[in-house]
Amino acid sequence: MLGGPLIRLGQRCLAAAGGLLLDRIVGEPPADVHPVAGFGRTMERAEHVLWADRRLNGAAYALTGAAMGAAAGLTTGSTAVVTWAVSAGRELRRVASRIGELAGSGDLAAARAELPSLVGRDPSELDASGIAAAVIESLAENSVDAVIAPAFWAAVAGAPGAAAYRAVNTMDAMVGRRDDRYGNFGWAAARLDDAANYVPARIFAGLVVVLCPHRAREIIAAVRRDAPAHPSPNAGVAEAALAAALGRRLGGPLRYGDTEENRPLLGDGPRPDPDDVGEAVRIADRAEWAAVGVLCLIWLASRLKGRAAKLP
Protein backbone atom coordinates (compact mmCIF):
# COMPACT_ATOMS: atom_id res chain seq x y z
CA MET A 1 0.00 0.00 0.00
CA LEU A 2 2.90 2.34 0.77
CA GLY A 3 4.80 1.36 -2.34
CA GLY A 4 3.52 4.18 -4.54
CA PRO A 5 4.11 7.07 -2.10
CA LEU A 6 7.50 5.64 -1.12
CA ILE A 7 8.59 5.39 -4.74
CA ARG A 8 7.46 8.96 -5.41
CA LEU A 9 9.40 10.13 -2.36
CA GLY A 10 12.47 8.37 -3.69
CA GLN A 11 12.03 9.99 -7.10
CA ARG A 12 11.76 13.44 -5.51
CA CYS A 13 14.86 12.77 -3.42
CA LEU A 14 16.83 11.73 -6.49
CA ALA A 15 15.68 14.83 -8.34
CA ALA A 16 16.63 17.05 -5.38
CA ALA A 17 20.09 15.47 -5.33
CA GLY A 18 20.34 16.09 -9.06
CA GLY A 19 19.46 19.75 -8.53
CA LEU A 20 22.22 20.21 -5.96
CA LEU A 21 24.69 18.52 -8.29
CA LEU A 22 23.61 20.82 -11.14
CA ASP A 23 24.36 23.82 -8.94
CA ARG A 24 27.78 22.39 -8.15
CA ILE A 25 28.53 21.87 -11.84
CA VAL A 26 27.11 24.98 -13.52
CA GLY A 27 26.35 27.38 -10.68
CA GLU A 28 23.40 29.73 -10.48
CA PRO A 29 21.45 30.95 -13.52
CA PRO A 30 22.63 34.33 -14.91
CA ALA A 31 21.48 37.28 -12.80
CA ASP A 32 19.41 38.88 -15.57
CA VAL A 33 17.28 35.75 -15.98
CA HIS A 34 17.48 34.35 -12.44
CA PRO A 35 13.96 33.38 -11.35
CA VAL A 36 14.61 34.49 -7.76
CA ALA A 37 15.56 37.98 -8.93
CA GLY A 38 12.45 38.11 -11.09
CA PHE A 39 10.32 37.01 -8.17
CA GLY A 40 11.90 39.72 -6.02
CA ARG A 41 10.95 42.40 -8.54
CA THR A 42 7.39 41.09 -8.66
CA MET A 43 7.09 41.16 -4.88
CA GLU A 44 8.42 44.72 -4.76
CA ARG A 45 5.44 45.70 -6.90
CA ALA A 46 3.14 43.64 -4.69
CA GLU A 47 4.46 45.46 -1.64
CA HIS A 48 3.54 48.82 -3.18
CA VAL A 49 -0.04 47.58 -3.59
CA LEU A 50 -0.46 45.70 -0.30
CA TRP A 51 1.69 47.56 2.20
CA ALA A 52 0.07 48.81 5.37
CA ASP A 53 1.36 48.77 8.92
CA ARG A 54 -0.75 45.72 9.74
CA ARG A 55 -0.03 42.03 10.08
CA LEU A 56 -3.11 41.18 8.02
CA ASN A 57 -1.71 42.97 4.98
CA GLY A 58 1.64 41.29 5.51
CA ALA A 59 -0.06 37.91 5.69
CA ALA A 60 -1.80 38.58 2.37
CA TYR A 61 1.56 39.53 0.86
CA ALA A 62 3.30 36.42 2.22
CA LEU A 63 0.59 33.98 1.17
CA THR A 64 0.40 35.55 -2.28
CA GLY A 65 4.14 35.16 -2.75
CA ALA A 66 4.20 31.58 -1.49
CA ALA A 67 1.33 30.67 -3.82
CA MET A 68 3.14 32.30 -6.74
CA GLY A 69 6.24 30.29 -5.95
CA ALA A 70 4.35 27.01 -5.74
CA ALA A 71 2.54 27.76 -9.00
CA ALA A 72 5.83 28.54 -10.74
CA GLY A 73 7.30 25.26 -9.52
CA LEU A 74 4.23 23.35 -10.65
CA THR A 75 4.42 24.98 -14.08
CA THR A 76 8.11 24.18 -14.44
CA GLY A 77 7.42 20.57 -13.53
CA SER A 78 11.01 19.43 -13.04
CA THR A 79 12.05 19.04 -9.41
CA ALA A 80 15.72 18.81 -10.41
CA VAL A 81 15.60 22.03 -12.45
CA VAL A 82 13.73 23.97 -9.76
CA THR A 83 16.09 22.72 -7.02
CA TRP A 84 19.02 23.89 -9.13
CA ALA A 85 17.43 27.27 -9.77
CA VAL A 86 16.73 27.97 -6.09
CA SER A 87 20.02 26.62 -4.68
CA ALA A 88 23.21 28.61 -4.37
CA GLY A 89 25.75 26.50 -2.50
CA ARG A 90 28.51 26.86 -5.08
CA GLU A 91 28.32 30.65 -5.18
CA LEU A 92 27.98 30.88 -1.40
CA ARG A 93 31.16 28.90 -0.84
CA ARG A 94 33.01 30.76 -3.60
CA VAL A 95 32.24 34.18 -2.12
CA ALA A 96 33.01 33.02 1.43
CA SER A 97 36.36 31.61 0.30
CA ARG A 98 37.22 34.79 -1.61
CA ILE A 99 36.53 37.08 1.36
CA GLY A 100 38.47 34.79 3.68
CA GLU A 101 41.45 34.85 1.33
CA LEU A 102 41.36 38.65 1.08
CA ALA A 103 41.21 39.02 4.85
CA GLY A 104 43.96 36.44 5.29
CA SER A 105 46.25 38.30 2.88
CA GLY A 106 45.78 41.53 4.85
CA ASP A 107 43.61 43.26 2.23
CA LEU A 108 40.91 44.20 4.71
CA ALA A 109 39.57 47.04 2.55
CA ALA A 110 38.79 44.64 -0.29
CA ALA A 111 37.36 42.07 2.13
CA ARG A 112 35.09 44.72 3.66
CA ALA A 113 34.02 45.83 0.18
CA GLU A 114 32.94 42.29 -0.75
CA LEU A 115 31.36 41.39 2.57
CA PRO A 116 27.96 43.05 1.84
CA SER A 117 27.42 40.53 -0.96
CA LEU A 118 27.29 37.89 1.75
CA VAL A 119 25.96 39.58 4.91
CA GLY A 120 23.88 42.62 5.76
CA ARG A 121 25.93 43.95 8.67
CA ASP A 122 28.08 47.09 8.56
CA PRO A 123 31.64 45.96 7.67
CA SER A 124 33.34 49.35 8.02
CA GLU A 125 34.83 48.75 11.47
CA LEU A 126 35.43 45.00 11.27
CA ASP A 127 38.95 43.72 11.75
CA ALA A 128 40.22 40.46 10.25
CA SER A 129 38.64 38.39 13.03
CA GLY A 130 35.33 40.24 12.71
CA ILE A 131 35.29 39.65 8.97
CA ALA A 132 36.02 35.96 9.49
CA ALA A 133 33.22 35.65 12.06
CA ALA A 134 30.75 37.40 9.74
CA VAL A 135 31.66 35.08 6.86
CA ILE A 136 31.41 31.91 8.94
CA GLU A 137 28.08 32.92 10.46
CA SER A 138 26.65 33.72 7.02
CA LEU A 139 28.07 30.49 5.60
CA ALA A 140 26.30 28.50 8.31
CA GLU A 141 22.95 30.27 7.96
CA ASN A 142 22.97 30.25 4.17
CA SER A 143 24.05 26.63 3.94
CA VAL A 144 20.59 26.01 5.38
CA ASP A 145 18.79 28.62 3.26
CA ALA A 146 20.52 27.90 -0.04
CA VAL A 147 21.36 24.19 0.16
CA ILE A 148 19.65 22.05 2.78
CA ALA A 149 16.22 23.70 2.82
CA PRO A 150 15.68 23.77 -0.98
CA ALA A 151 16.62 20.10 -1.19
CA PHE A 152 14.47 19.22 1.83
CA TRP A 153 11.37 20.90 0.44
CA ALA A 154 12.02 19.43 -3.00
CA ALA A 155 12.11 15.98 -1.39
CA VAL A 156 8.94 16.68 0.60
CA ALA A 157 6.83 18.41 -2.05
CA GLY A 158 8.68 18.35 -5.35
CA ALA A 159 9.14 21.37 -7.60
CA PRO A 160 6.25 23.34 -6.02
CA GLY A 161 7.72 22.79 -2.55
CA ALA A 162 11.22 23.95 -3.52
CA ALA A 163 9.92 27.01 -5.37
CA ALA A 164 7.51 27.96 -2.58
CA TYR A 165 10.34 27.65 -0.07
CA ARG A 166 12.56 30.01 -2.06
CA ALA A 167 9.65 32.45 -2.36
CA VAL A 168 9.18 32.47 1.41
CA ASN A 169 12.91 32.83 2.05
CA THR A 170 13.17 35.69 -0.44
CA MET A 171 10.22 37.52 1.10
CA ASP A 172 11.78 37.17 4.54
CA ALA A 173 14.97 38.78 3.22
CA MET A 174 12.93 41.60 1.70
CA VAL A 175 10.45 42.43 4.47
CA GLY A 176 11.27 40.25 7.48
CA ARG A 177 13.15 42.96 9.37
CA ARG A 178 12.03 44.29 12.74
CA ASP A 179 11.91 48.01 11.94
CA ASP A 180 9.26 50.70 11.72
CA ARG A 181 8.16 49.80 8.20
CA TYR A 182 8.24 46.02 8.39
CA GLY A 183 7.72 45.18 12.05
CA ASN A 184 4.06 44.32 11.37
CA PHE A 185 3.98 43.95 7.59
CA GLY A 186 6.92 41.53 7.51
CA TRP A 187 5.80 39.46 10.50
CA ALA A 188 4.04 36.75 8.49
CA ALA A 189 6.90 36.33 6.00
CA ALA A 190 9.39 36.04 8.86
CA ARG A 191 7.31 33.46 10.71
CA LEU A 192 6.78 31.42 7.54
CA ASP A 193 10.53 31.43 6.96
CA ASP A 194 11.14 30.32 10.55
CA ALA A 195 8.75 27.41 10.07
CA ALA A 196 10.17 26.45 6.67
CA ASN A 197 13.76 26.35 7.97
CA TYR A 198 13.10 24.66 11.30
CA VAL A 199 13.80 21.09 10.17
CA PRO A 200 16.51 21.95 7.57
CA ALA A 201 18.55 23.90 10.17
CA ARG A 202 18.58 20.88 12.45
CA ILE A 203 19.44 18.59 9.55
CA PHE A 204 22.45 20.80 8.84
CA ALA A 205 23.53 20.65 12.48
CA GLY A 206 23.12 16.86 12.45
CA LEU A 207 25.26 16.58 9.32
CA VAL A 208 27.97 18.69 10.97
CA VAL A 209 27.92 16.32 13.95
CA VAL A 210 28.35 13.32 11.65
CA LEU A 211 31.09 15.01 9.63
CA CYS A 212 33.03 16.16 12.71
CA PRO A 213 32.74 13.19 15.10
CA HIS A 214 35.76 14.34 17.12
CA ARG A 215 33.76 17.48 18.01
CA ALA A 216 30.33 15.85 18.25
CA ARG A 217 29.90 16.38 21.99
CA GLU A 218 30.89 20.04 21.74
CA ILE A 219 28.59 20.64 18.76
CA ILE A 220 25.57 19.13 20.48
CA ALA A 221 26.33 21.07 23.67
CA ALA A 222 26.70 24.38 21.83
CA VAL A 223 23.46 23.91 19.93
CA ARG A 224 21.55 23.07 23.10
CA ARG A 225 23.16 25.76 25.25
CA ASP A 226 23.72 28.72 22.92
CA ALA A 227 21.28 28.51 20.02
CA PRO A 228 18.10 29.25 22.05
CA ALA A 229 19.41 32.74 22.89
CA HIS A 230 19.81 33.66 19.22
CA PRO A 231 17.05 35.89 17.77
CA SER A 232 16.55 33.36 14.95
CA PRO A 233 15.35 29.88 15.95
CA ASN A 234 17.24 28.44 13.00
CA ALA A 235 20.30 30.57 12.27
CA GLY A 236 21.43 30.09 15.87
CA VAL A 237 21.35 26.32 15.46
CA ALA A 238 23.43 26.36 12.27
CA GLU A 239 25.89 28.97 13.56
CA ALA A 240 26.38 27.26 16.92
CA ALA A 241 27.01 23.92 15.19
CA LEU A 242 29.64 25.36 12.87
CA ALA A 243 31.25 27.39 15.66
CA ALA A 244 31.66 24.29 17.80
CA ALA A 245 32.90 22.22 14.87
CA LEU A 246 35.68 24.78 14.39
CA GLY A 247 36.36 25.18 18.11
CA ARG A 248 35.75 28.92 17.75
CA ARG A 249 33.38 31.46 19.29
CA LEU A 250 30.96 33.35 17.06
CA GLY A 251 28.25 35.92 17.80
CA GLY A 252 28.52 39.02 19.93
CA PRO A 253 27.82 42.68 19.07
CA LEU A 254 27.19 43.67 15.45
CA ARG A 255 25.77 46.58 13.50
CA TYR A 256 23.14 46.69 10.74
CA GLY A 257 23.20 50.26 9.43
CA ASP A 258 22.25 52.45 12.38
CA THR A 259 21.00 49.49 14.41
CA GLU A 260 23.24 47.75 16.90
CA GLU A 261 22.54 44.23 18.12
CA ASN A 262 24.22 42.34 20.93
CA ARG A 263 23.98 38.79 19.64
CA PRO A 264 24.63 35.86 22.01
CA LEU A 265 27.99 34.16 21.97
CA LEU A 266 28.00 30.80 20.19
CA GLY A 267 30.50 28.06 20.89
CA ASP A 268 33.66 28.05 22.97
CA GLY A 269 37.23 28.98 22.18
CA PRO A 270 39.02 31.93 20.63
CA ARG A 271 37.46 34.24 18.06
CA PRO A 272 37.96 33.01 14.49
CA ASP A 273 40.66 34.25 12.17
CA PRO A 274 40.65 34.25 8.34
CA ASP A 275 42.29 30.82 8.20
CA ASP A 276 39.17 29.36 9.83
CA VAL A 277 37.03 30.42 6.87
CA GLY A 278 38.63 27.80 4.64
CA GLU A 279 37.86 25.02 7.11
CA ALA A 280 34.29 26.29 7.51
CA VAL A 281 33.86 26.21 3.73
CA ARG A 282 35.18 22.65 3.63
CA ILE A 283 32.68 21.56 6.30
CA ALA A 284 29.81 23.25 4.44
CA ASP A 285 30.94 21.62 1.18
CA ARG A 286 31.06 18.19 2.79
CA ALA A 287 27.64 18.79 4.34
CA GLU A 288 26.19 19.32 0.88
CA TRP A 289 27.83 16.14 -0.38
CA ALA A 290 26.43 14.31 2.64
CA ALA A 291 22.96 15.67 1.86
CA VAL A 292 23.27 14.42 -1.70
CA GLY A 293 24.31 11.02 -0.37
CA VAL A 294 21.36 10.83 2.03
CA LEU A 295 18.92 11.77 -0.73
CA CYS A 296 20.37 9.09 -3.00
CA LEU A 297 20.18 6.50 -0.22
CA ILE A 298 16.49 7.30 0.31
CA TRP A 299 15.94 6.86 -3.43
CA LEU A 300 17.80 3.54 -3.40
CA ALA A 301 15.85 2.34 -0.36
CA SER A 302 12.57 3.25 -2.06
CA ARG A 303 13.60 1.28 -5.15
CA LEU A 304 14.53 -1.78 -3.13
CA LYS A 305 11.33 -1.54 -1.11
CA GLY A 306 9.29 -1.23 -4.28
CA ARG A 307 10.92 -4.28 -5.82
CA ALA A 308 10.39 -6.28 -2.64
CA ALA A 309 6.71 -5.31 -2.63
CA LYS A 310 6.33 -6.77 -6.13
CA LEU A 311 7.72 -10.14 -5.19
CA PRO A 312 5.13 -12.91 -4.77
Side-chain angles (χ1 to χ4, degrees), residues 121 136-141 204 222-223 230 232 234-245 248 250-251 263-264 266-267:
R121 71 191 63 179
I136 294 168
E137 289 167 17
S138 180
L139 179 67
E141 180 178 4
F204 175 77
V223 169
H230 197 281
S232 167
N234 303 314
V237 170
E239 292 172 19
L242 194 52
R248 297 292 184 263
L250 301 176
R263 294 282 179 88
L266 306 169

Side-chain angles (χ1 to χ4, degrees), residues 7-25 77-89 146-163 165 203 287-300 302:
I7 289 172
R8 288 192 292 273
L9 171 63
Q11 291 170 340
R12 293 194 301 270
C13 287
L14 184 64
L20 292 182
L21 291 174
L22 272 174
D23 176 65
R24 296 185 72 94
I25 294 168
S78 170
T79 298
V81 168
V82 171
T83 304
W84 162 64
V86 302
S87 300
V147 179
I148 303 300
F152 173 80
W153 285 107
V156 169
Y165 166 76
I203 291 173
E288 183 175 299
W289 277 118
V292 169
V294 170
L295 290 165
C296 290
L297 284 174
I298 294 173
W299 167 76
L300 181 60
S302 72

